[in-house]
Amino acid sequence: FALSRDGSRLLAIDGEQHRAQLRDAADGTPLGPAIKHGVAMGDARPALSADGRKVAVAEQREGSREGVQIRVLHAETGEAAFPPLDYSG
């Protein structure tokens, strides 16, 4: 899991189902839809921004065994906040 800086939002991560869910930290109420993400690379897990409004996910790029794609999404909607970033380092 990941916690926003002010402690009000929690990002619950289900690695087996490749989902992340933003929740109210006080009562666990979902704050939007579950965010689907691809296969995580190594120890990379979805991360929550300090203000709890964005989620970053690093995934294996489709069709590639080595390339990684990083997506930044709006935590409450799962919509892309920025275009995906390709990384192959």
Side-chain angles (χ1 to χ4, degrees):
F1 74 94
L3 194 62
S4 63
R5 182 176 292 161
D6 67 2
S8 67
R9 294 170 175 224
L10 172 77
L11 183 66
I13 300 164
D14 180 345
E16 290 183 17
Q17 296 294 319
H18 305 293
R19 279 191 314 218
Q21 174 75 61
L22 185 67
R23 295 182 175 272
D24 182 287
D27 62 14
T29 303
L31 299 175
I35 297 170
K36 295 286 281 176
H37 59 87
V39 176
M41 299 299 296
D43 291 332
R45 299 288 178 257
L48 187 62
S49 64
D51 65 4
R53 298 189 183 279
K54 292 188 179 60
V55 175
V57 294
E59 310 165 324
Q60 182 173 346
R61 191 178 324 134
E62 286 187 42
S64 173
R65 300 183 110 202
E66 298 176 12
V68 176
Q69 184 177 67
I70 300 168
R71 295 186 302 137
V72 178
L73 311 168
H74 292 287
E76 291 185 6
T77 65
E79 301 282 327
F82 307 105
L85 303 169
D86 288 331
Y87 177 77
S88 56

